[in-house]
Amino acid sequence: MSSFHEVIRKNESSILAGWIAEMASTTRRSDLMGDVELKQQATEFLRLFTDAAESSTDPHSEAFFSTREYMKEIAKSRMEQGFTPGETALFVLSLKQPVFNSLRDALKSEPAKLVTEIWDVGNILDRLAVQTVDGATEFRDQVIVRQQEEMLELSTPVVKLWDGVLALPLIGTLDSARTQVVMESLLSAIVETNSQIAIIDITGVPTVDTLVAQHLIKTITAARLMGADCYLSGIRPAIAQTIVHLGIDLVDIQTKAKLADAFALAQTRLGKTVVNVKSAAKSTSKHEDA
């Protein structure tokens, strides 16, 4: 069993001071973390690391469980503060130099043992640094996924145009993941507002291929199953030609070139008529005069 943990424990204060000095000259980010927090993290990690090293030199062992868990916390907090995974790993790696210095002073008369101790402690710190990078990367990926989901929700707003009429303006390309969000948002809005008509506007969709058309048809079919008529607006000449060329069947789907046209159709479907108030007033006045 290596005994470097004994050297670390005996020289804990000097190693901690050397470690903080090492970070100050290489990896210090005073714009992201204050001196007090940095010292707290370094002190706690050094304590956990030394305790674990008394029982094992395998960083994957049960003895290092608390050390690994603490590094996960550090990785998460540092990623939230703006550190990169590499900068977080250097927090661990910068401990090497002060530990090596203490080992050199303690074992200068035993070169063979010095090499062994340096190898053992360096190997553990290297592996812990890799685990730290993995933890930071995993947390970053989780944040990215969450942000993508939030962006999907924000990019599929369901707008209430009128009592009983909803509009879903789509911008960008439709894929399977976004189609699921679109469908869930539209169906939820239909239930919440008890709407009879939903208009899907694809003016902002750059191209419509077979896959996009299938996604649209699925969404329209789902809306119909909820008891709402579904219209498709924003059919530009280029998209119309593409749909015909691909042989996509939209015969059973009511389509319009503009959202305004689809809205007018919805008003007719609901038995309502939009009139010009001034024109109607003039007509009423002439009728009364007559």
Side-chain angles (χ1 to χ4, degrees):
M1 176 68 67
S2 294
S3 58
F4 63 80
H5 61 87
E6 297 176 357
V7 175
I8 295 176
R9 199 173 296 282
K10 290 179 181 179
N11 300 276
E12 184 174 346
S13 298
S14 61
I15 290 175
L16 183 61
W19 186 13
I20 294 176
E22 180 71 18
M23 287 188 285
S25 62
T26 56
T27 63
R28 184 76 174 93
R29 289 292 304 273
S30 56
D31 57 322
L32 300 179
M33 181 180 292
D35 294 336
V36 175
E37 184 178 4
L38 178 63
K39 186 174 182 179
Q40 288 175 343
Q41 289 185 353
T43 301
E44 181 63 11
F45 176 80
L46 187 59
R47 183 188 68 79
L48 292 171
F49 175 77
T50 307
D51 290 345
E54 289 184 3
S55 304
S56 174
T57 57
D58 181 6
H60 298 287
S61 66
E62 184 65 23
F64 278 90
F65 175 79
S66 296
T67 308
R68 294 194 301 270
E69 289 300 304
Y70 185 65
M71 286 312 304
K72 288 181 181 179
E73 294 178 12
I74 287 181
K76 181 177 182 297
S77 65
R78 284 180 170 241
M79 290 299 291
E80 291 174 341
Q81 291 170 314
F83 287 91
T84 66
E87 289 171 338
T88 304
L90 286 173
F91 167 75
V92 178
L93 295 175
S94 57
L95 176 58
K96 280 185 173 184
Q97 190 61 52
V99 171
F100 290 173
N101 291 340
S102 293
L103 287 172
R104 180 195 59 202
D105 294 339
L107 302 174
K108 55 186 176 183
S109 61
E110 303 176 73
K113 187 176 182 180
L114 174 61
V115 172
T116 300
E117 297 298 312
I118 287 178
W119 171 262
D120 287 343
V121 70
N123 187 47
I124 296 174
L125 290 174
D126 286 342
R127 294 186 182 185
L128 287 175
V130 171
Q131 292 175 13
T132 302
V133 171
D134 290 341
T137 303
E138 180 181 356
F139 175 73
R140 182 186 61 187
D141 292 342
Q142 291 173 353
V143 172
I144 292 174
V145 170
R146 186 175 68 251
Q147 290 175 339
Q148 289 176 336
E149 292 173 350
E150 292 173 352
M151 290 178 65
L152 280 176
E153 293 177 358
L154 291 173
S155 65
T156 54
V158 180
V159 182
K160 185 177 180 180
L161 295 181
W162 199 271
D163 287 340
V165 182
L166 297 176
L168 178 62
L170 297 178
I171 299 175
T173 304
L174 281 176
D175 55 19
S176 298
R178 189 179 182 200
T179 300
Q180 186 65 29
V181 175
V182 167
M183 193 179 299
E184 291 175 357
S185 300
L186 181 59
L187 297 184
S188 297
I190 289 173
V191 173
E192 291 173 1
T193 61
N194 194 28
S195 296
Q196 296 84 48
I197 298 175
I199 303 172
I200 299 178
D201 184 72
I202 61 172
T203 303
V205 177
T207 58
V208 174
D209 55 18
T210 304
L211 186 60
V212 171
Q214 289 175 350
H215 291 324
L216 290 172
I217 292 172
K218 288 180 181 178
T219 303
I220 292 172
T221 302
R224 286 176 173 175
L225 290 174
M226 297 299 296
D229 290 338
C230 204
Y231 305 155
L232 187 63
S233 67
I235 306 294
R236 304 185 299 279
I239 289 181
Q241 293 178 17
T242 301
I243 291 175
V244 172
H245 178 71
L246 294 175
I248 299 171
D249 186 9
L250 297 179
V251 176
D252 295 333
I253 299 174
Q254 187 72 251
T255 61
K256 290 294 181 180
K258 299 178 181 178
L259 176 60
D261 297 334
F263 179 59
L265 180 63
Q267 293 290 76
T268 302
R269 164 72 173 73
L270 295 175
K272 300 181 183 296
T273 303
V274 178
V275 298
N276 188 301
V277 176
K278 292 183 178 179
S279 298
K282 289 180 180 179
S283 177
T284 301
S285 177
K286 288 181 180 179
H287 180 73
E288 292 177 348
D289 292 341

